[in-house]
């Protein structure tokens, strides 16, 4: 298709009843088209589908539904600079997979890029400097404006997200661009120009969005503030610790000590965890300490009955002794008295059941009759 017709149609759009046409050349696919996407103030659905395919993720051959407002923004910027060449597109839609791949290669790619939403386009014009495109995009205050003068093919990023720009201009540069001070763009020193509130009201009135001063201060290089940076500004996180405090000093290892024998007791007969830990300790130390299951609130008779039923001698574990300081060791012994952990609900239930369980009646004495003389 001829590029001249597209350019002429773009420049005469207002005279033709707001009919808008874009001439695009994709630098990666080498595809080109001149598309009239709006006729008499209405979007042409077939033309939008044609632009969706032309601006697809060329790595995956995957199109998306591009935001038509992006085409209006690019058209207005293109018309304002008076270019006679087609729009050379470097990047438009990016699938999440492509964006993640590019993010691994470069820190200049935002994690939540407007490209993934079909709201952004990276492009340049062969007959217009990117400085001029950047200035026009910022004056429009329709969305994000990114400036990439050091890329292999220098380009400008335009999107229809929140109004912002990166890298930010100095205060003096921004004043020269907005002599009346009416802009929501913030300079590098984070001091809004005098007309900030008035410009903000105008942007919001036409349905746009404006980032707060704190959010702009945490902008990524690509598409503005990251989600993590925004929440970090709310909750005070995200800042890196100073180098001197980045890592806690590592204490020298304490000299090796002989492992004491630990006696473990549990009131829950089903507590197999305690059994395994105790058996492991006994096997490691080669000892034969007893492991008892007993309820401290039970009567002595019931304790004795439980011990007899268990068939093991664990009376020593039931002896109540005065509490000792943590880690205290008996003289000449390598044993440590470890306090029992707090009772769990299952243990309390076992104790209650044991207290209410009737004991079997004593066996009556049985005399055996004999017919013999003895």
């Amino acid at each position: 298709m001829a590029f001249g017709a597209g350019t002429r149609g773009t420049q005469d759009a207002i005279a033709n009843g707001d009919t808008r046409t874009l001439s695009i050349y994709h630098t990666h696919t080498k595809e080109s088209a001149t598309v009239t996407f709006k006729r008499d103030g209405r979007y042409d659905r077939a033309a939008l589908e044609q632009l969706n395919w032309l601006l697809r993720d060329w790595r995956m051959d995957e199109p998306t539904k591009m935001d038509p407002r992006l085409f209006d923004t690019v058209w207005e910027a293109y018309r304002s600079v008076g270019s006679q060449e087609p729009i050379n597109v470097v990047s438009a839609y990016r699938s999440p997979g492509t964006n993640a791949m590019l993010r691994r290669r470069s820190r200049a790619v935002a994690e939540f890029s407007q490209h993934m939403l079909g709201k952004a386009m990276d492009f340049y014009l062969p007959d217009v400097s990117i400085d001029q495109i950047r200035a026009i995009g910022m004056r429009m205050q329709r969305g994000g404006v990114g400036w990439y003068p050091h890329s292999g093919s220098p380009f400008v990023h335009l999107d229809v997200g929140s109004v912002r720009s990166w890298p930010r201009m100095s205060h003096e540069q921004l004043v020269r661009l907005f002599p009346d001070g009416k802009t929501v763009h913030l300079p590098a020193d984070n001091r809004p120009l005098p007309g900030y509130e008035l410009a903000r009201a105008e942007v919001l009135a036409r349905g746009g969005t404006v980032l707060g001063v704190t959010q702009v201060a945490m902008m990524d290089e690509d598409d503005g503030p990251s989600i993590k940076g925004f929440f970090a500004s709310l909750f005070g996180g995200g800042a890196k610790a100073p180098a001197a405090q980045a890592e806690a000093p590592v204490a020298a290892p304490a000299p090796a000590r002989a492992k004491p024998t630990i006696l473990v007791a549990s009131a829950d007969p089903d507590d197999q965890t305690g059994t395994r830990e105790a058996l492991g300790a006994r096997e490691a130390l080669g000892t034969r300490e007893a492991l008892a299951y007993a309820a401290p609130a039970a009567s002595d008779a019931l304790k004795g009955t439980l011990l007899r039923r268990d068939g093991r001698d664990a009376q020593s574990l039931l002896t109540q002794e005065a509490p000792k300081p943590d880690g205290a060791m008996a003289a000449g012994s390598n044993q440590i008295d470890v306090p029992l952990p707090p009772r769990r609900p299952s243990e309390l239930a076992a104790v209650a059941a044991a207290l209410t369980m009737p004991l079997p009646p004593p066996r009556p004495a049985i005399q055996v009759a004999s017919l013999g003389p003895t």
Side-chain angles (χ1 to χ4, degrees):
M1 297 184 183
F3 290 119
T7 304
R8 193 181 314 112
T10 299
Q11 294 175 342
D12 299 336
I14 295 179
N16 294 337
D18 199 14
T19 295
R20 302 184 174 188
T21 302
L22 289 176
S23 295
I24 293 177
Y25 170 73
H26 201 295
T27 60
H28 293 287
T29 64
K30 311 303 180 184
E31 297 172 356
S32 60
T34 298
V35 182
T36 301
F37 66 92
K38 181 177 280 190
R39 300 177 185 275
D40 297 328
R42 295 184 178 182
Y43 294 111
D44 186 306
R45 181 173 299 178
L48 294 180
E49 291 295 335
Q50 187 178 359
L51 288 173
N52 290 342
W53 177 252
L54 182 62
L55 301 175
R56 68 191 181 277
D57 181 342
W58 57 274
R59 293 177 177 85
M60 307 293 293
D61 254 356
E62 179 182 330
T64 192
K65 186 177 180 179
M66 302 291 291
D67 192 325
R69 297 177 303 163
L70 175 64
F71 304 142
D72 287 327
T73 299
V74 173
W75 177 86
E76 291 182 23
Y78 182 84
R79 182 173 180 273
S80 297
V81 298
S83 174
Q84 300 296 318
E85 296 290 336
I87 299 169
N88 283 240
V89 175
V90 177
S91 177
Y93 171 62
R94 294 180 196 158
S95 64
T98 295
N99 196 77
M101 179 269 294
L102 294 175
R103 184 170 170 79
R104 288 192 294 269
R105 292 183 179 180
S106 172
R107 296 179 58 187
V109 177
E111 182 177 2
F112 303 98
S113 172
Q114 294 290 322
H115 287 278
M116 293 193 297
L117 303 177
K119 297 178 181 292
M121 184 186 299
D122 298 342
F123 68 95
Y124 64 89
L125 299 170
D127 57 344
V128 177
S129 70
I130 61 170
D131 294 349
Q132 188 176 353
I133 303 173
R134 176 199 193 191
I136 292 296
M138 291 181 65
R139 288 197 186 104
M140 290 169 55
Q141 303 194 89
R142 296 294 182 87
V145 181
W147 183 60
Y148 295 87
H150 304 299
S151 177
S153 296
F155 64 88
V156 172
H157 166 107
L158 292 184
D159 68 52
V160 288
S162 297
V163 180
R164 65 212 190 279
S165 58
W166 65 94
R168 286 190 284 170
M169 292 182 171
S170 67
H171 199 94
E172 293 73 17
Q173 288 176 319
L174 200 60
V175 169
R176 286 197 297 269
L177 189 60
F178 295 92
D180 59 356
K182 197 171 69 172
T183 179
V184 295
H185 291 289
L186 295 177
D189 61 9
N190 236 33
R191 291 188 296 117
L193 269 59
Y196 174 86
E197 290 298 335
L198 182 59
R200 182 175 181 273
E202 291 182 357
V203 172
L204 297 179
R206 65 170 180 257
T209 56
V210 179
L211 294 178
V213 176
T214 304
Q215 291 172 278
V216 173
M218 296 186 175
M219 286 173 46
D220 284 343
E221 288 298 322
D222 180 30
D223 294 344
S226 66
I227 298 299
K228 290 185 287 187
F230 171 68
F231 283 106
S233 68
L234 291 180
F235 301 108
K240 294 183 179 180
Q245 301 177 358
E247 297 182 2
V250 180
R257 296 175 57 186
K259 294 184 178 180
T261 302
I262 299 176
L263 302 181
V264 182
S266 172
D268 188 354
D270 296 326
D271 189 356
Q272 299 300 323
T273 303
T275 304
R276 288 194 296 269
E277 292 177 355
L279 291 177
R282 288 160 57 187
E283 292 176 359
L285 297 173
T287 59
R288 295 293 178 183
E289 286 79 14
L291 179 66
Y293 297 111
S299 64
D300 294 338
L302 178 57
K303 292 179 183 178
T305 302
L306 293 176
L307 289 173
R308 287 195 300 273
R309 289 181 181 178
D310 196 47
R312 289 171 290 182
D313 181 12
Q315 187 63 38
S316 59
L317 294 178
L318 301 178
T319 303
Q320 299 294 332
E321 296 182 358
K324 298 179 180 180
D326 293 341
M329 299 180 63
S333 173
N334 64 341
Q335 294 187 350
I336 296 177
D337 292 330
V338 180
L340 294 178
R343 296 299 178 187
R344 296 175 296 181
S346 60
E347 297 177 336
L348 296 178
V351 172
L355 290 174
T356 57
M357 180 180 63
L359 296 176
R363 295 183 180 180
I366 301 176
Q367 296 182 356
V368 180
S370 175
L371 298 176
T374 58

